[in-house]
Amino acid sequence: MKSILITGGAGFIGSHVVKLFVRKYPDYRIINLDCLTYAGNLENLKEVEHASNYHFSKINILDEDSLRKVFNDFQITDVIHLAAESHVDRSITDPLAFVRTNVIGTVNLLNAAKSFWKNPEGHLFYHVSTDEVYGSLDDGGFFTETTPYDPQSPYSASKAASDHFVRAYANTYKLNMVISNCSNNYGPNQFPEKLIPLCIHNIKHNKPLPVYGKGENIRDWLYVEDHATAIDKVFHHGKSGETYNIGGFNEWKNIDIVHLLCQKMDEILGRESGTSEKLITFVKDRAGHDLRYAIDASKIQQELGWEPSLQFEEGIHKTILWYLENETWLEHVTSGDYQKYYEAHYGH
Ligand code: NAD
Ligand code: DAU
C-alpha cells in the first residue's frame, strides 16, 4: 500500500493536491504534514478531514526527530514536498526564514527519506518547485526544462538551492526523484497577500489596489486544480530523475489582470462599470522585480498527456465567486480567529 507524505498540505496548492489524492486514491494513505504557518489552514481540508485514508500531522520540517518519527509511524513510501515559504515580498524582508524552511527543511526531509528507505527502489521523492528558479525572461522566449537556473530573489534562490539538493541526493544516494517547476497559480484557498486574492479582497472592500511599478510585469497563470492534476500525472507517470515544467500557456501583464478583476467584480457586485478601476494605485516597485515568466509546458503535454482544463476567464470567475462566498475564511486567515478554530478542532 502506498503511504504518501504530502508536506504543506494545509496551504494553497497542497490542499488541492491532498483533496485530489484522498478522493481519487482511496487505497492510498495520505499523511498531510504541515506546521500551519500563517499560510496553512486546516479549513482548506474540511471536505476530507474525516476520510479514513487521511491523516494530519502538525510538524515543522525543521524538526528532524519528528520527521524521522512520522516516516516510521506511517511507513512512508513516497513524498510529495510542497511545504515552503512561498511569498517573494516576504523573502525580501526576511531571507533567512526562506533559507531555513525551503533549504534546510528540504534537506531534513531528504535525510529522513534516505535513512528510512534503506533500499530506495520503489520509493519516490517528488519536489514541487517553481518557474522562478529560471530567472526573468526579459527578451522573449520560454522557460524549458533545460533553461539554466538564474534565480533573482531570495525566494527563488532558496527554491533553486532546494532543487539542487534534491538532484544531488538522487545522484549521490540513488534516491528516485522528480521535480516540477510551475508557473503562477490562482484559485480558492490562496492567502490574500498574492496579487489575485489581494485584489479581489480589496475590490470587495473598496480599498486601493497596489500595482507594483507600471504593472507591466508578465506572469503565466494556471488554475490551481490544473496544477494538482499535473502533480498527479508527474507522481504516477513521471520518469525518475526528470524535471517537468508546468504552465498555462496563459501570459498576462499584471495591470491587465487587475483591469479584468475590476470589470468582472463590477458586474458580479452590480456596481457601475468603471467603479473598481478607480481603486488602482501604482506603488513603488518590488526590489529586483522579475519582468516576465513564461513556461513551455510541451514536455509534460507530450510525454504525460497533461494539459490545463480551464480557460483563464472561467477560472477567474470561479475564483472571484469562491472568495465572495468564503468571506469567513478570509476573516479567519487574516485575523487571530484561525488559531481559535484550530484549538477547537485539535485541542492543542
Ligand atoms: P503556501 O504558502 O500557500 O503554503 C505553504 C504551506 O507550507 C503552508 O500550509 C505552511 O503552513 C506550510 N509550511 C511552511 N513552512 C513550513 C515548515 N517549516 N514546516 C512544515 N510546513 C510548513 O504555498 P503554495 O502557494 O501552496 O506553494 C506550495 C509549493 O508550491 C511551494 O513549494 C511553492 O514554492 C510551490 N509553487 C507555488 C506556486 C504558486 O503560484 N503559489 C507556483 C509554483 C510553485
Ligand atoms: O511563478 C511562480 C511563483 O508565483 C511562485 O513560485 C510563488 O510562490 C508565487 O507567490 C508567485 O510569485 P509572484 O511574485 O509572481 O506572485 P505574486 O502574486 O506575489 O505577484 C504577481 C505579480 O503581481 C508580480 O509581478 C508582483 C505583482 N504584484 C504583487 C502584489 C502582491 C503587484 O503588482 N502588487 C501586489 O500587491
Side-chain angles (χ1 to χ4, degrees):
M1 186 186 82
K2 279 201 178 295
S3 186
I4 306 173
L5 186 70
I6 301 185
T7 71
F12 168 46
I13 301 169
S15 59
H16 291 277
V17 176
V18 166
K19 281 192 282 188
L20 176 69
F21 273 66
V22 166
R23 286 168 170 156
K24 188 170 173 189
Y25 302 108
D27 294 341
Y28 293 178
R29 182 162 60 186
I30 303 300
I31 297 94
N32 170 17
L33 182 155
D34 197 301
C35 73
L36 302 179
T37 65
Y38 74 96
N41 185 341
L42 291 173
E43 287 174 68
N44 297 341
L45 294 154
K46 262 187 183 154
E47 297 107 300
V48 295
E49 69 183 1
H50 299 301
S52 57
N53 63 336
Y54 171 72
H55 184 90
F56 171 65
S57 283
K58 186 170 186 272
I59 290 175
N60 192 315
I61 55 172
L62 293 173
D63 177 351
E64 296 170 71
D65 291 342
S66 296
L67 285 183
R68 269 195 293 273
K69 187 166 177 334
V70 87
F71 269 80
N72 195 49
D73 287 353
F74 292 99
Q75 297 290 300
I76 298 299
T77 57
D78 303 86
V79 173
I80 305 178
H81 176 35
L82 296 107
E85 287 294 340
S86 68
H87 192 41
V88 174
D89 292 326
R90 287 178 191 252
S91 83
I92 294 168
T93 47
D94 187 6
L96 268 179
F98 286 67
V99 174
R100 281 191 283 269
T101 286
N102 299 1
V103 186
I104 300 173
T106 300
V107 176
N108 284 343
L109 204 54
L110 286 164
N111 281 339
K114 171 169 87 71
S115 56
F116 185 69
W117 299 334
K118 300 282 179 250
N119 174 1
E121 216 168 293
H123 301 294
L124 181 67
F125 190 102
Y126 179 174
H127 187 223
V128 175
S129 191
T130 171
D131 60 356
E132 298 198 14
V133 297
Y134 298 122
S136 179
L137 287 165
D138 293 345
D139 48 8
F142 292 90
F143 296 135
T144 71
E145 287 78 0
T146 55
T147 302
Y149 275 30
D150 185 21
Q152 298 292 318
S153 72
Y155 163 70
S156 52
S158 70
K159 292 296 290 188
S162 54
D163 285 2
H164 288 321
F165 270 104
V166 173
R167 291 199 180 91
Y169 270 58
N171 177 61
T172 310
Y173 308 109
K174 308 301 166 216
L175 206 68
N176 288 306
M177 68 83 188
V178 281
I179 295 176
S180 57
N181 298 85
C182 187
S183 64
N184 286 61
N185 285 215
Y186 70 98
N189 301 351
Q190 188 169 31
F191 194 81
E193 64 189 348
K194 308 276 164 65
L195 180 69
I196 290 179
L198 176 90
C199 287
I200 295 173
H201 186 54
N202 287 10
I203 292 171
K204 165 103 196 280
H205 296 282
N206 283 306
K207 286 171 142 175
L209 308 176
V211 175
Y212 298 163
K214 294 182 181 154
E216 282 175 354
N217 303 66
I218 294 170
R219 298 290 183 266
D220 169 4
W221 294 91
L222 180 69
Y223 192 67
V224 62
E225 287 179 3
D226 278 329
H227 188 185
T229 62
I231 288 173
D232 181 16
K233 284 270 186 202
V234 172
F235 178 78
H236 287 97
H237 306 292
K239 212 170 132 213
S240 177
E242 291 286 315
T243 294
Y244 297 88
N245 280 356
I246 304 170
F249 289 111
N250 178 41
E251 289 181 55
W252 283 75
K253 274 189 187 167
N254 293 339
I255 189 65
D256 294 337
I257 293 212
V258 178
H259 281 301
L260 178 71
L261 290 170
C262 290
Q263 283 156 18
K264 290 246 176 216
M265 285 192 65
D266 281 351
E267 280 164 33
I268 293 169
L269 297 170
R271 292 179 180 168
E272 194 185 326
S273 169
T275 307
S276 301
E277 305 226 336
K278 294 190 190 115
L279 299 169
I280 294 176
T281 311
F282 291 95
V283 298
K284 189 166 176 274
D285 208 354
R286 173 184 280 173
H289 198 171
D290 287 339
L291 182 64
R292 172 172 169 257
Y293 308 141
I295 281 281
D296 176 350
S298 45
K299 177 175 172 182
I300 186 170
Q301 209 169 29
Q302 284 158 18
E303 293 186 12
L304 306 185
W306 172 87
E307 53 186 38
S309 69
L310 214 61
Q311 292 298 313
F312 189 58
E313 297 233 351
E314 193 189 342
I316 281 290
H317 191 76
K318 278 176 77 158
T319 304
I320 293 172
L321 292 185
W322 188 85
Y323 279 92
L324 294 179
E325 283 159 11
N326 287 274
E327 190 65 34
T328 325
W329 178 94
L330 263 172
E331 278 163 23
H332 286 176
V333 299
T334 52
S335 73
D337 283 4
Y338 173 58
Q339 193 54 34
K340 284 185 222 143
Y341 169 90
Y342 177 76
E343 280 162 15
H345 271 66
Y346 290 88
H348 58 90

